[in-house]
Each structure stands twice: as structure tokens, then as C-alpha cells.
Amino acid sequence: MAAQRVAVRPEEIRRHNLSRLLRSIHQHGELTRADLTAAMGLNRSTIGALVSDLVALGLVTEYVPSGRDRAGRPSHVVAPRADGPYVLAVDVAVERIVTAAVGLGGTVHERRTTAIEGAERFPQAVVDQIVADAGWLADRLPGSQGPVGIGVSIPGTVRRRDGFVEHAPNLNWRAVPFAALLADRLPRQLDVQAGNDADLGAVAEHQRGAAIGYDHLVYLNGSVGVGSGIIAEGSQLHGAGGYAGEIGHMTVNPDGPPCHCGSTGCIETYIGEHALLRAAGVTAQHGPRAVATVFEAAAAGDERAVIAVRTVAVWLGRCLANVVNCFNPQAIVVGGSLAEVVRLDRASVETELDRRAMAAARAGVQVLLPGLDQDSALIGAAELAFQALLTSPDSLVASLAAN
């Protein structure tokens, strides 16, 4: 018996193509109608109708380029609308919160950075700060159409389906329904998403940073804590519960230092910022300024600082060898403060990587620094927040307008 064909309605096809077109513009920025026609495999009239729909929704703009030397009618250029809707992207770290308004195309319009310590790290205090930042950003973008979603990067294990934080050891959070707490304080129509910082950093570096064109990559993010995001065959590896990538909590020495996660001898205790400060003999200070001081001293040739950086670099090389042996990536992007370790002593990192990694897997991998510098997790949070708009642009815009 022949299988029954399921009829696809024209409106469903239109919405699917509208999503594809908006994703292309969001990913690549300005594109001509001719570029879009070639990339999407649709005819010119269909592309024209889809572009007109996105213009009417206030998401994109188009213009005819001037100053052309070639004869003939120029193709219209389609670009994200500068004063269109934006998302709120938030990067929560141990020492600070960064909140930014990010437009289509990944443009950061405005940002606010707030240092936090002590009770300011409590979940409700973090929610309060984000709500205050959202108002501050809205006041500075008076002509904008406003936010269409919010994405939050958190340094811990986060359940992606509902933004529930199982454990963020360096923030001392456990079993926190963070996305729900934040959603209760924001306008009801705003979609709130939360994810692990390294997972989101991997997405951002894959789409907009150093790892464009690599479909097998690991983003290793190191500051106080250490985590990773994994892209395999172009898609993110989440694991059964969404907790894959906790490379920082692989045990490398059962008799090693205690870790915030409750175990001992995790790789984080050998390559995290506390390990660097401990090796440099810095016990009375902590935080970004203390870490930067050690790096500055190492760059200037201070012997103890140089040894501290080299010690971390050797352990980082061992960590990367495990990553290579487990995941066989094309690229490893090393971010956070670990990026500076690579800058200062790449030789020690790569020597240990060469020594420990399997030769065939090692031969094909590049160790890269972030193309987005310290903004990898922030831009990844923006990408997370944009998913609802990119999936169904007309439905989301209509829903926001109704509210």
C-alpha cells in the first residue's frame, strides 16, 4: 500500500522560508536579493515577497546601492534593521554581570557591566540586577522596537528546556529555577532562556567567531571555573539531560586539591584562576584584577609569575589532549583567562598536547583564541534569545504587538 502523502499548506511553506531568509540575514548581515535567491534556491519573486514581509514586520530594511560602475539594474541589499527589535543578552560570571542589547546580525547596541560579590551573587540579587539593567538599556534605546527575548549565560549545569540551574558551584547555587525567577519579574510576553556559559560560547564562536567553518569543535572556557561547549557535525552536543561538557570536573588526580563541585583533583583545580594565583603566591587577592596582575608580571619576565603561567599551561595542554582524544575536533577555542595563558606560553601548551594526544587526532586540530574575545558567552546568550524570533518571525511579532 502506497504511503499517504501529507499535504503541506502554502502558508506553512511561506513561514518556513521566512524563517530561513531571516536566519540568513541574521547570520551573514547585509545580503543582496540575488545572494538570497542563489542561497535559498527560490525564484526572485518569492524572495521579493518574503523580503517585503520582513520589512513590514520591522525586522529588516532594504536599499539600492549607489556608486556602481556596472551597467544594469542593481540588486537590492537587505540588512537587519538598526532600530528593529533586539534581545537582552546576559553573561553572569562569578565577579560580574554583563547585560547587553543585541540586535539582529549580532550587533551589540549598548551594554552595562556590574561588579558583584558576596550577597550580590545570590539568585534573587542577580535577578534584581538584570531587571535594573533591562530598564537602563531600554532608556538608552528610545527609538527601538524593544526586546523580543532574553538569554542568560550561567557558569554551571543548566537544564536547557526550562533554565533550571542544577549546580553553579562557583556562584554557590544549587537547584535554582533561574529562568522562572527572572520571567516572573519581566513582561509576560518576553521569552526567557538560560544556558551554560561554555555551551553558549561554543555557539557564538562557531557562528560569529574564530571557529566559523569548523563543524567539529570544542570551546573551552576558563576563569574561576572551567567548562566546555562541544559542536559535533555542526550541531551542539548537549547530552541526555543537557549537562554535557563539564570538562573542568574531570578528575586528573584523586588526591588533588578539593574542588567546589565536591570532588577532588578536578582539572579546574589545576587550570582555573585560583590555581594560577596559588602558583604565583598570590593568596590575599582574587578576581580579574589579581589575575591580570600575574599575567602582566609574567609578560614582563617576573620569574615566579612565568613559572605560574607555565604550570597552568602544562596542565592545560594535558586537558586539551584529553579533549582531542575524546572528541577528535577540528578546532579547540580556548577562552576566558585561559586564552591569556595560551598567548603567553603557547609552546608549553602545544608541547604537552603533542606529547599526550593520539597522533592521528592531534594532526588535524587547531588551537585557536576566541574571535569574540571576552564576549563569546554574551553573544551566545543573544543567539539563544533570538531562536523564537528566527523560528517564527511573524508569529512572535504579532504576539508582542498583541501584548
Side-chain angles (χ1 to χ4, degrees):
M1 181 176 177
Q4 289 185 331
R5 293 184 178 179
V6 178
V8 180
R9 292 178 296 178
E11 180 58 20
E12 292 175 347
I13 296 173
R14 187 195 73 84
R15 287 181 176 176
H16 172 72
N17 287 331
L18 198 67
S19 171
R20 287 178 61 205
L21 192 148
L22 185 60
R23 285 182 186 276
S24 289
I25 296 167
H26 175 61
Q27 178 76 44
H28 302 291
E30 292 190 353
L31 293 169
T32 67
R33 283 197 187 186
D35 292 333
L36 291 166
T37 300
M40 296 182 62
L42 301 173
N43 61 48
R44 287 183 297 175
S45 62
T46 299
I47 291 294
L50 293 171
V51 169
S52 295
D53 287 345
L54 292 178
V55 169
L57 290 169
L59 301 176
V60 304
T61 185
E62 64 175 339
Y63 65 91
V64 178
S66 59
R68 288 168 48 95
D69 294 328
R70 293 186 298 168
R73 188 170 66 180
S75 181
H76 288 211
V77 174
V78 186
R81 184 167 165 172
D83 61 347
Y86 60 86
V87 297
L88 293 169
V90 184
D91 181 15
V92 178
V94 176
E95 307 288 347
R96 51 102 180 108
I97 300 170
V98 181
T99 307
V102 183
L104 282 165
T107 301
V108 178
H109 295 310
E110 289 278 358
R111 74 170 70 211
R112 190 182 199 187
T113 301
T114 304
I116 57 172
E117 60 181 0
E120 294 168 332
R121 298 190 183 105
F122 292 170
Q124 194 58 58
V126 171
V127 166
D128 291 344
Q129 185 61 55
I130 293 170
V131 171
D133 290 345
W136 185 89
L137 290 166
D139 288 344
R140 278 150 184 79
L141 298 168
S144 170
Q145 297 176 29
V148 295
I150 179 167
V152 185
S153 163
I154 295 172
T157 50
V158 184
R159 197 164 64 198
R160 284 288 295 274
R161 63 182 169 83
D162 59 2
F164 186 92
V165 180
E166 293 284 355
H167 193 200
N170 293 304
L171 290 172
N172 200 27
W173 292 7
R174 190 179 287 276
V176 176
F178 186 79
L181 290 175
L182 182 56
D184 284 344
R185 295 286 307 281
L186 294 168
R188 288 294 176 182
Q189 72 269 25
L190 274 188
D191 179 50
V192 178
Q193 298 288 325
N196 169 265
D197 57 348
D199 281 346
L200 298 178
V203 168
E205 290 295 331
H206 183 226
Q207 294 185 6
R208 301 191 181 280
I212 293 174
Y214 292 97
D215 282 340
H216 298 267
L217 70 105
V218 174
Y219 172 75
L220 186 71
N221 184 48
S223 54
V224 176
V226 176
S228 72
I230 303 157
I231 305 288
E233 296 184 348
S235 298
Q236 191 146 34
L237 179 65
H238 294 298
Y243 309 134
E246 290 295 338
I247 287 172
H249 297 292
M250 293 190 305
T251 300
V252 292
N253 179 7
D255 299 320
C259 181
H260 283 98
C261 74
S263 186
T264 56
C266 295
I267 191 65
E268 182 175 297
T269 66
Y270 289 90
I271 66 175
E273 289 180 353
H274 290 318
L276 175 75
L277 295 174
R278 186 170 59 247
V282 179
T283 57
Q285 297 174 298
H286 62 87
R289 185 61 253 170
V291 172
T293 299
V294 173
F295 287 144
E296 289 164 4
D302 178 83
E303 183 176 3
R304 186 158 193 179
V306 168
I307 292 172
V309 170
R310 183 171 302 142
T311 300
V312 172
V314 168
W315 277 106
L316 176 58
R318 293 170 183 169
C319 174
L320 298 189
N322 285 333
V323 168
V324 168
N325 292 342
C326 285
F327 300 108
N328 185 206
Q330 298 166 298
I332 302 173
V333 181
V334 181
S337 59
L338 288 175
E340 192 62 24
V341 172
V342 175
R343 289 188 185 98
L344 289 169
D345 196 358
R346 179 181 282 270
S348 293
V349 174
E350 301 236 18
T351 296
E352 199 66 18
L353 174 55
D354 291 342
R355 181 179 298 154
R356 307 286 179 179
M358 297 176 68
R362 170 65 182 110
V365 67
Q366 302 291 318
V367 178
L368 306 174
L369 297 177
L372 299 170
D373 198 19
Q374 298 298 315
D375 277 350
S376 301
L378 184 74
I379 298 302
E383 294 300 324
L384 184 63
F386 268 123
Q387 289 311 302
L389 179 66
L390 297 175
T391 299
S392 186
D394 49 358
S395 296
L396 183 61
V397 170
S399 173
L400 292 169
N403 288 282

